[in-house]
């Protein structure tokens, strides 16, 4: 589903991704872990072309991300083509980014109506079902300001799912939440994993990574240091840098 080949990204002189090679199979849940500034979130943003890569190749479901290849040359896609491709990839951010003037349901149905051309009736029916799936059927008419952080994040997940994505990206989606609200969001993500959604999850929640992740990838300083089966890597890392990081994280 995702194939990164020597992906590089820099901001000015700062090299943020230093040749990332990574494959994610359909229905696989891959958790990216590592210290702040290691390039995890930047890589995620490259996968749906919110950031352009500066080198290498990045494919989603067999298609180059943001580009097309013809006669051995690579051409950047037009903005509307990029938007169409991006619609196939759901992304949930650390900050919920909900439209404050819209209800929970309004947030969920906006893109299917505008981007996919669903009728109001279809979109509302689908939106209600998605909000039920994330446990918010009783909050359909509430505005974001009247929802807890955990509820807002679950609306954001429902909104991403409304586009029927083939891949979901989660960028530290629980790090802005109070500890007691974290579980309700992780439970929704657990259910998605059980249903077979392909997911790349940037997270500091090692319990979730161990239980739900098929694979864990440890990044540091723009490179992949170590990767392996989730539980095995978390319980028995091989690299010294991974051991140090997990030692600190698991203490807390």
């Amino acid at each position: 589903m995702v194939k990164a080949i020597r992906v590089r990204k820099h901001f000015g002189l700062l090299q943020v991704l230093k040749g990332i090679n990574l494959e994610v199979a359909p229905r696989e849940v891959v958790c990216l872990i590592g210290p702040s500034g290691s390039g995890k979130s930047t890589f995620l943003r490259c996968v749906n072309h919110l950031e352009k890569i500066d080198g290498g190749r990045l494919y989603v479901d067999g298609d180059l991300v943001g580009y097309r290849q013809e006669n051995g040359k690579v051409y950047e896609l037009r903005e509307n083509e990029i938007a169409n491709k991006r619609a196939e990839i759901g992304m949930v951010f650390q900050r919920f980014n909900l439209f404050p003037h819209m209800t929970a349901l309004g947030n969920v149905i906006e893109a299917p109506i505008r981007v996919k051309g669903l009728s109001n009736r279809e979109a509302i029916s689908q939106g209600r079902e998605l909000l039920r799936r994330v446990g918010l059927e009783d909050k359909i008419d509430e505005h974001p300001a009247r929802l807890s952080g955990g509820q807002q994040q679950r609306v954001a997940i429902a909104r991403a799912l409304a586009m029927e994505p083939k891949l979901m990206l989660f960028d530290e989606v629980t790090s802005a939440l109070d500890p007691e609200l974290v579980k309700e969001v992780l439970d929704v993500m657990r259910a998605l994993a059980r249903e077979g959604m392909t997911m790349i999850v940037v997270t500091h929640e090692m319990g979730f990574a161990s239980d739900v992740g098929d694979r864990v990838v440890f990044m540091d300083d723009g490179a992949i240091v170590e990767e392996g089966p989730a539980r095995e890597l978390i319980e028995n890392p091989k690299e010294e840098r991974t051991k140090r990081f997990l030692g600190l994280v698991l203490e807390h």
Side-chain angles (χ1 to χ4, degrees):
M1 182 59 78
V2 179
K3 185 171 186 174
I5 305 168
R6 299 187 300 279
V7 167
R8 299 192 307 281
K9 173 69 186 173
H10 55 76
F11 295 111
L13 297 175
L14 180 66
Q15 191 149 16
V16 183
L17 299 176
K18 301 174 179 175
I20 299 293
N21 292 306
L22 182 66
E23 292 192 24
V24 180
R27 304 176 71 88
E28 190 177 20
V29 178
V30 172
C31 293
L32 300 184
I33 65 171
S36 295
S38 57
K40 308 181 300 295
S41 295
T42 299
F43 177 72
L44 220 56
R45 292 171 67 83
C46 289
V47 171
N48 71 352
H49 206 59
L50 285 174
E51 298 288 355
K52 294 180 189 178
I53 65 174
D54 295 311
R57 291 278 192 275
L58 189 50
Y59 298 87
V60 171
D61 203 17
D63 292 332
L64 271 176
V65 173
Y67 301 88
R68 71 175 187 282
Q69 198 161 350
E70 278 179 22
N71 306 323
K73 287 190 173 177
V74 173
Y75 301 90
E76 189 163 7
L77 296 178
R78 291 193 297 273
E79 209 38 64
N80 64 327
E81 295 173 303
I82 290 169
N84 287 338
K85 287 292 180 191
R86 193 178 286 141
E88 299 173 349
I89 303 171
M91 185 156 183
V92 185
F93 300 87
Q94 183 176 347
R95 298 282 167 199
F96 325 120
N97 295 349
L98 297 178
F99 298 118
H101 61 290
M102 291 183 181
T103 63
L105 183 61
N107 269 278
V108 173
I109 67 175
E110 175 77 357
I113 290 171
R114 282 179 180 266
V115 180
K116 293 182 80 176
L118 254 63
S119 70
N120 270 31
R121 203 175 76 198
E122 284 177 295
I124 288 168
S125 170
Q126 180 200 57
R128 285 178 177 276
E129 171 57 22
L130 285 169
L131 287 167
R132 186 196 63 73
R133 264 176 74 187
V134 299
L136 291 174
E137 59 265 57
D138 58 335
K139 302 291 184 185
I140 278 173
D141 297 320
E142 296 287 4
H143 285 75
R146 294 180 59 85
L147 299 173
S148 71
Q151 290 168 337
Q152 289 187 58
Q153 196 58 291
R154 285 186 282 155
V155 172
I157 293 172
R159 180 175 64 177
L161 291 173
M163 294 301 287
E164 299 178 324
K166 55 178 77 167
L167 167 68
M168 284 286 284
L169 310 175
F170 294 90
D171 189 10
E172 296 194 26
V173 295
T174 58
S175 60
L177 300 179
D178 294 333
E180 64 267 27
L181 301 177
V182 168
K183 181 180 180 299
E184 64 191 48
V185 174
L186 293 182
D187 283 348
V188 170
M189 293 166 67
R190 279 192 172 87
L192 280 178
R194 282 196 301 271
E195 291 163 16
M197 175 62 77
T198 311
M199 293 159 59
I200 306 178
V201 183
V202 172
T203 187
H204 291 295
E205 300 288 340
M206 294 304 138
F208 174 85
S210 179
D211 292 345
V212 182
D214 295 301
R215 216 158 21 112
V216 164
V217 175
F218 173 66
M219 288 180 66
D220 188 29
D221 194 27
I224 292 175
V225 176
E226 183 172 355
E227 62 176 290
R231 189 157 293 179
E232 192 179 303
L233 185 141
I234 288 170
E235 292 177 1
N236 190 24
K238 294 181 173 60
E239 299 291 332
E240 275 309 312
R241 181 67 189 92
T242 318
K243 288 177 185 172
R244 279 206 314 278
F245 173 78
L246 287 169
L248 288 168
V249 171
L250 296 172
E251 272 177 22
H252 299 290

